[in-house]
């Protein structure tokens, strides 16, 4: 995970300010007569309390409660909008810095179950700074002790160890690195080099979620958060851990689905004289049924296919695997006739999975003659990209497979010029743009036409440029939707 750029050291301890609510500045310390803003924090007494009217005390106490609760509400609202582990950890670091009164920090994601993912990000710390901190023995730093000390519930528990909630350790404050007892000399050396004098480490753990990691904030001068700030960051930390646990489950599910999908697709693209191939496959959180294939055929020919099956999840992945395997068999037997290949595929789908539909495009390519014969079933037309033209291939309209009692549509033939690239893609590329169909096609054409001349000789660079232009923020894995497949075929 990337880290933020370093921040110059201020002359004194700099504490980010919490948001103002209804004219109340929650970073200003409570006056002596103010009661604790939240339950569990004892009020500070003052000799002048008896001299103040009861109404003033009540108003002051309510103002503190409203200020603290509104601040927590605003920070948690910002956190809940994050949809990735990296984004959530960055938000936790920023919010925590404001709550504890620090300006730098780091968060370590290290799930206690050992199943990952793991990583470290920083706030106001360069990547080299994070590496320097990691050279401190884990037992000396506060966050290291938290990561290594997440014991399970006591021996009196009767629940199985696999379901028993973890005991949450207490935060660790080091008020002054120079005078704290028991610190490793390396810890003091690193603190002096990076210019911090104190730290406050918070476990990212709850009893139900277990230990997910830890966050630590660094002070420029000897300091530690007061009891009120500890209480606020504790409440925020518990909420943040539950949110991180949900994002962790989503990320793990996405990785599992992507792994299964990749195993069902070609492990590598074939090398056939006269063409160069490149493919980009992006998988959503639920796992769609988009697929591609490229297989050598007799007499130097090449079979190219892209398609998708309806639905998402494991059943769609299984159907995709069966459909792709069947198409390979039909392509070997009668690949020179794409219409026959798709007709056989239609019959198979209708007999074996009558409740499912699919789109497919199959192309029989002869690289030596720079000739392609293709047929499509409810699929988007290929796009030819070259120095002299960027245009969609005119194909016949056809319903998807499984939608008709008998599928058949005429094939089309095209002859790419030397140096031209043919793009085959699934509907997910168009739909993930969020635009209407006509607008999505126009954007795809414009993206392909804008490929720099230096990149047109590399089909992988062409595919990357198109994806960056259409999906500048990539494929959000947390948003349900179709997968994206883009197969680029460049003719020499």
């Amino acid at each position: 995970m990337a880290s933020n750029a370093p921040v110059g050291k201020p002359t004194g301890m700099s504490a980010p300010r919490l948001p103002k609510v209804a004219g109340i500045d929650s970073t200003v310390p409570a006056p002596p007569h103010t009661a604790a803003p939240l339950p569990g924090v004892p009020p500070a007494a003052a000799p002048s309390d008896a001299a103040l009217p009861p109404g003033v005390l009540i108003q002051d106490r309510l103002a503190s409660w409203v200020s603290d609760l509104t601040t927590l509400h605003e920070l948690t609202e910002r956190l809940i909008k994050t949809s990735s582990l990296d984004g959530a950890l960055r938000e936790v670091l920023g919010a925590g810095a404001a709550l504890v009164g620090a300006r730098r920090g780091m968060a370590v994601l290290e799930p206690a179950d050992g199943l990952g993912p793991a990583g470290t990000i920083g706030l106001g710390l360069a990547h080299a700074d994070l590496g320097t901190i990691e050279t401190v023995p884990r037992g000396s730093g506060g966050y290291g002790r938290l990561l290594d000390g997440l014991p399970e519930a006591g021996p009196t528990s009767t629940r199985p160890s696999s379901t028993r909630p973890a005991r949450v350790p207490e935060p660790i404050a080091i008020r002054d690195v120079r005078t704290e007892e028991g610190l490793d000399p390396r810890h003091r050396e690193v603190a002096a080099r990076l210019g911090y004098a104190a730290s406050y480490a918070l476990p990212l753990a709850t009893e139900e979620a277990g230990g997910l990691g830890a966050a630590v904030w660094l002070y420029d001068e000897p300091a530690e958060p007061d009891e009120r700030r500890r209480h606020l960051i504790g409440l925020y930390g518990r909420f943040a851990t539950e949110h991180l646990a949900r994002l962790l489950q989503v990320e793990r599910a996405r990785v599992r689905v992507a792994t299964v999908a990749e195993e069902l697709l070609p492990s590598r693209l074939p090398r056939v004289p006269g063409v160069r191939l490149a493919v980009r496959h992006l998988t959503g959180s639920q796992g769609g049924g988009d697929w591609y294939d490229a297989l050598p055929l007799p007499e130097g020919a090449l079979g190219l296919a892209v398609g998708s099956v309806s639905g998402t999840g494991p059943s769609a992945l299984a159907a995709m695997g069966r459909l792709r395997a069947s198409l390979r068999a039909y392509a070997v037997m009668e690949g020179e006739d794409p219409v026959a290949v798709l007709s056989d595929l239609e019959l198979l789908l209708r007999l074996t999975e009558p409740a499912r539909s699919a789109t497919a495009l199959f192309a029989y390519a002869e690289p030596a003659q720079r000739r392609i014969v293709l047929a499509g079933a409810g699929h988007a037309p290929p796009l030819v990209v070259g120095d002299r033209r960027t245009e969609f291939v005119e194909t016949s309209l056809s319903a998807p497979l499984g939608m008709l009692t008998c599928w058949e549509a005429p094939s089309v033939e095209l002859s790419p010029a030397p140096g031209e690239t043919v793009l085959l893609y699934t509907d997910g590329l168009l739909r993930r743009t969020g635009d209407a169909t006509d607008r999505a096609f126009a954007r795809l054409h414009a993206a392909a036409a804008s490929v720099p001349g230096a990149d047109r000789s590399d089909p992988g660079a062409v595919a990357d440029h198109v994806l960056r232009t259409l999906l500048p923020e990539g494929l959000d894995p947390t948003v349900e939707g179709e997968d994206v497949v883009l197969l680029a075929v460049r003719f020499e």
Side-chain angles (χ1 to χ4, degrees):
M1 297 185 184
S3 62
N4 295 332
V7 178
K9 181 177 178 181
T11 57
M13 186 178 69
S14 175
R17 298 175 63 83
L18 297 178
K20 289 185 178 180
V21 181
I24 301 170
D25 187 351
S26 55
T27 62
V28 177
H33 60 271
T34 302
L38 290 175
V41 181
S48 59
D49 283 357
L52 293 174
V56 174
L57 292 175
I58 294 175
Q59 281 186 334
D60 194 47
R61 180 178 300 178
L62 289 176
S64 294
W65 286 348
V66 170
S67 177
D68 288 341
L69 291 175
T70 306
T71 296
L72 283 176
H73 175 74
E74 291 178 351
L75 294 177
T76 53
E77 282 291 307
R78 289 174 53 182
L79 177 62
I80 204 66
K81 293 178 181 178
T82 59
S83 57
S84 66
L85 286 172
D86 187 82
L89 287 172
R90 293 187 184 281
E91 180 61 34
V92 168
L93 274 181
L99 289 173
V100 303
R103 72 181 183 94
R104 292 184 291 173
M106 60 182 284
V108 180
L109 182 66
E110 190 176 299
D113 58 13
L115 300 180
T120 303
I121 65 171
L123 172 68
L125 295 169
H127 185 73
D129 297 335
L130 296 176
T132 302
I133 293 176
E134 290 176 344
T135 64
V136 176
R138 284 170 65 110
S140 178
Y143 82 94
R145 278 184 271 171
L146 293 177
L147 292 175
D148 294 338
L150 297 175
E152 294 184 345
T156 58
S157 176
T158 59
R159 297 174 60 178
S161 60
S162 59
T163 61
R164 193 181 304 158
R167 181 183 302 152
V168 179
E170 295 295 324
I172 298 176
I174 300 178
R175 179 173 178 79
D176 192 340
V177 175
R178 293 168 297 182
T179 60
E180 183 81 11
E181 296 182 359
L183 295 186
D184 189 276
R186 177 61 180 168
H187 192 164
R188 305 185 201 278
E189 177 185 344
V190 168
R193 178 183 302 179
L194 298 183
Y196 70 88
S199 65
Y200 186 75
L202 179 76
L204 297 176
T206 63
E207 291 185 353
E208 295 303 323
L212 303 184
V216 59
W217 291 275
L218 309 176
Y219 295 94
D220 297 335
E221 303 293 340
E224 64 178 315
D226 57 25
E227 200 166 0
R228 168 177 167 262
R229 290 181 180 271
R230 287 173 182 257
H231 191 69
L232 290 174
I233 191 62
L235 293 174
Y236 181 81
R238 286 192 288 273
F239 180 88
T241 300
E242 296 297 334
H243 182 62
L244 288 170
R246 291 189 290 270
L247 293 179
L248 184 64
Q249 292 177 353
V250 172
E251 177 63 17
R252 288 177 173 178
R254 187 196 66 80
V255 171
R256 287 194 294 267
V257 167
T259 301
V260 173
E262 292 301 324
E263 290 296 326
L264 292 173
L265 295 172
S267 58
R268 62 182 181 86
L269 296 174
R271 293 184 177 180
V272 177
V275 294
R276 294 173 60 192
L277 304 174
V279 69
R280 300 294 183 264
H281 182 209
L282 308 179
T283 306
S285 59
Q286 300 297 320
D290 288 20
W291 54 276
Y292 65 91
D293 208 346
L295 65 155
L297 296 175
E299 301 179 358
L302 178 67
L304 303 168
V306 292
S308 63
V309 300
S310 59
T312 59
S315 62
L317 290 175
M320 176 265 284
R322 292 190 293 268
L323 203 66
R324 172 180 168 267
S326 301
L327 184 140
R328 290 178 71 95
Y330 298 145
V332 171
M333 293 185 294
E334 47 193 7
E336 67 279 359
D337 186 356
V339 172
V341 172
L342 294 186
S343 297
D344 292 342
L345 204 62
E346 155 74 21
L347 178 61
L348 175 73
L349 187 67
R350 186 153 40 88
L351 294 177
T352 60
E353 300 189 58
R356 193 182 297 275
S357 64
T359 66
L361 185 147
F362 178 74
Y364 179 80
E366 296 176 301
Q369 289 76 35
R370 291 194 300 279
R371 172 176 175 268
I372 296 179
V373 181
L374 62 89
H379 209 80
L383 181 61
V384 180
V385 182
D387 294 333
R388 297 184 177 181
R389 62 171 175 168
T390 299
E391 61 185 28
F392 290 101
V393 178
E394 293 188 8
T395 58
S396 57
L397 297 176
S398 171
L401 302 175
M403 300 292 288
L404 302 175
T405 56
C406 180
W407 180 90
E408 184 170 332
S411 60
V412 297
E413 181 176 330
L414 66 146
S415 299
E420 289 187 331
T421 299
V422 180
L423 298 179
L424 310 178
Y425 51 94
T426 58
D427 293 340
L429 178 62
L430 302 173
R431 293 176 181 168
R432 280 285 187 168
T433 63
D435 294 325
T437 302
D438 292 346
R439 172 63 177 164
F441 273 116
R443 288 186 57 190
L444 173 59
H445 185 278
S450 64
V451 175
D455 293 338
R456 299 202 171 198
S457 61
D458 182 0
V462 173
D464 289 336
H465 177 85
V466 170
L467 286 177
R468 284 196 306 269
T469 306
L470 288 181
L471 305 173
E473 298 182 359
L475 190 66
D476 189 344
T478 64
V479 176
E480 293 188 15
E482 298 182 58
D483 295 352
V484 172
V485 168
L486 180 59
L487 177 62
V489 186
R490 184 182 190 275
F491 286 79
E492 304 292 346

